[in-house]
Amino acid sequence: DAGITQSPRHKVTETGTPVTLRCHQTENHRYMYWYRQDPGHGLRLIHYSYGVKDTDKGEVSDGYSVSRSKTEDFLLTLESATSSQTSVYFCAISVGGPTDTQYFGPGTRLTVL
Amino acid sequence: AQSVTQLGSHVSVSEGALVLLRCNYSSSVPPYLFWYVQYPNQGLQLLLKYTSAATLVKGINGFEAEFKKSETSFHLTKPSAHMSDAAEYFCAVSDTPSGTYKYIFGTGTRLKVLA
């Protein structure tokens, strides 16, 4: 357990509504990541952050935005949710460095109807 | 761009049998490679990682993996499967050439252990 929590753990919403997922860490790690997990695709990176207010896009960033105003919190926002964004979302942290282990949160299961 | 390929989305073995999960990577520079395990309804946790210190890497729960540069492989093995090994396993590579601390994951292999 690397002190990572995600909220909510489960959410059902309707198409077109905004949704914000929160990732919180207690260990002040510099790097934070948002992934989505879908059958047959493994984990795909949505966005990542390498410091407060420093973020960059991953391979599947369309339709998602992020914010990091504090070291401990990394927010993922779906501005207008679509059914294709139904997925399990994982947050991860690392201290940085290509050999460093990523530690994952428990995940958020999002269903968009 | 770096990538990883996991052969076999589903693997079934009998309890007590050898576990072999395959991972091949594509990298133009020496890679850093990882195996993660995901139990049902949980996040991923590290099994082991290769960082060029030794080609045979031992991890938790009796798993090990061997880095073979000539074959661009990093296959995961365990001599004797246990029912508790049933899970999904992911191979990942650190995207070092891009200069960012991103990781690229394979599509996963779901291991089923038969009694």
Side-chain angles (χ1 to χ4, degrees):
Chain A
D1 183 358
I4 309 170
T5 57
Q6 292 184 232
S7 58
R9 294 292 315 279
H10 301 272
K11 186 170 181 66
V12 179
T13 191
E14 293 189 351
T15 297
T17 60
V19 176
T20 295
L21 308 182
R22 179 181 184 237
C23 177
H24 178 80
Q25 59 150 325
T26 60
E27 300 186 1
N28 291 320
H29 289 301
R30 181 180 175 191
Y31 288 80
M32 299 184 76
Y33 307 80
W34 275 109
Y35 294 91
R36 59 178 290 174
Q37 182 178 23
D38 305 287
H41 293 277
L43 272 76
R44 293 180 291 176
L45 182 65
I46 305 171
H47 282 278
Y48 69 104
S49 170
Y50 45 94
V52 173
K53 298 186 179 179
D54 291 323
T55 65
D56 204 353
K57 296 178 180 180
E59 62 177 308
V60 291
S61 59
D62 287 348
Y64 301 95
S65 62
V66 290
S67 66
R68 192 170 179 197
S69 59
K70 300 184 291 184
T71 299
E72 59 266 36
D73 289 325
F74 191 32
L75 304 180
L76 177 70
T77 297
L78 291 65
E79 300 291 346
S80 178
T82 67
S83 59
S84 64
Q85 293 176 311
T86 292
S87 186
V88 180
Y89 292 85
F90 286 99
C91 174
I93 61 172
S94 78
V95 296
T99 65
D100 191 60
T101 300
Q102 286 199 327
Y103 296 93
F104 286 81
T108 294
R109 184 173 296 276
L110 176 67
T111 301
V112 184
L113 301 175
Chain B
Q2 300 200 69
S3 65
V4 290
T5 302
Q6 292 185 242
L7 296 177
S9 59
H10 293 80
V11 170
S12 294
V13 299
S14 298
E15 190 174 22
L18 172 71
V19 176
L20 171 60
L21 305 181
R22 300 177 185 274
C23 173
N24 288 89
Y25 68 90
S26 170
S27 174
S28 58
V29 299
Y32 300 110
L33 296 157
F34 306 78
W35 275 102
Y36 284 84
V37 60
Q38 183 182 32
Y39 298 104
N41 300 312
Q42 295 185 25
L44 280 70
Q45 59 184 243
L46 182 73
L47 267 180
L48 49 80
K49 64 179 178 182
Y50 168 75
T51 59
S52 76
T55 56
L56 182 62
V57 182
K58 294 187 182 298
I60 62 172
N61 301 335
F63 284 93
E64 63 182 35
E66 185 173 9
F67 172 72
K68 292 187 177 180
K69 184 177 179 180
S70 61
E71 299 177 6
T72 61
S73 68
F74 190 57
H75 301 332
L76 182 71
T77 61
K78 182 174 180 178
S80 177
H82 192 273
M83 297 298 288
S84 61
D85 295 326
E88 191 158 20
Y89 294 80
F90 293 92
C91 183
V93 63
S94 177
D95 192 17
T96 46
S98 70
T100 65
Y101 298 140
K102 295 191 294 186
Y103 300 76
I104 299 166
F105 286 82
T107 53
T109 297
R110 187 171 298 277
L111 176 66
K112 185 176 182 179
V113 181
L114 307 172

